[in-house]
Amino acid sequence: QIKQKIKDFLESKYKNIKVTSLYAPSLTVPSENFKDNIQIKDKGKRFIRIKYTIYLNNQIYKTFWITARVEPLVKAVVAARNIPKGKIITTEDLTFEKLPERTAKKG
């Protein structure tokens, strides 16, 4: 749950990234009534360093560091549907998508 929560947090805060991997330790919290805090401490082009704190009864229960590997997303033109060979391509055949920078073709 922690991994998904952090992934969702990062991808909502930074619209132009995709989290590709995330290390978070396995942890059992003794109560479902806990609060947490996510602090971004360092952000690079391909990583984000996070301080994650869990609170129980308004006291710190556990604090740990998490590193997320991220991939910048770029706007790219892609086919909106299957385009048969020899067909003249029109604007209706194309659309924009955000793709990971490393997989998006140049041009």
Side-chain angles (χ1 to χ4, degrees):
Q1 288 179 328
I2 292 172
K3 284 183 179 181
Q4 190 60 48
K5 184 174 189 170
I6 292 171
K7 181 178 186 253
D8 294 343
F9 171 80
L10 292 174
E11 289 180 352
S12 69
K13 184 170 178 69
Y14 302 106
K15 302 291 186 196
N16 291 323
I17 66 157
K18 177 183 178 190
V19 176
T20 57
S21 69
L22 182 74
Y23 170 76
S26 296
L27 180 69
T28 302
V29 180
S31 170
E32 290 189 19
N33 298 323
F34 71 91
K35 303 216 182 294
D36 59 358
N37 184 31
I38 301 170
Q39 292 179 321
I40 296 172
K41 292 296 186 176
D42 194 14
K43 182 179 181 301
K45 185 173 181 178
R46 304 228 181 261
F47 75 93
I48 299 175
R49 187 106 164 103
I50 301 148
K51 183 178 178 184
Y52 185 77
T53 306
I54 297 173
Y55 297 89
L56 282 175
N57 302 321
N58 294 324
Q59 293 183 352
I60 294 175
Y61 172 73
K62 193 82 160 175
T63 297
F64 47 93
W65 292 89
I66 297 171
T67 300
R69 289 192 178 273
V70 297
E71 180 75 28
L73 297 176
V74 294
K75 196 173 183 181
V77 177
V78 297
R81 59 183 140 271
N82 189 16
I83 303 170
K85 182 178 178 180
K87 179 185 181 298
I88 296 175
I89 298 173
T90 64
T91 56
E92 291 79 28
D93 295 322
L94 304 173
T95 189
F96 288 102
E97 278 184 21
K98 286 187 177 182
L99 299 174
E101 183 180 69
R102 292 183 186 184
T103 59
K105 301 291 181 191
K106 303 280 187 225

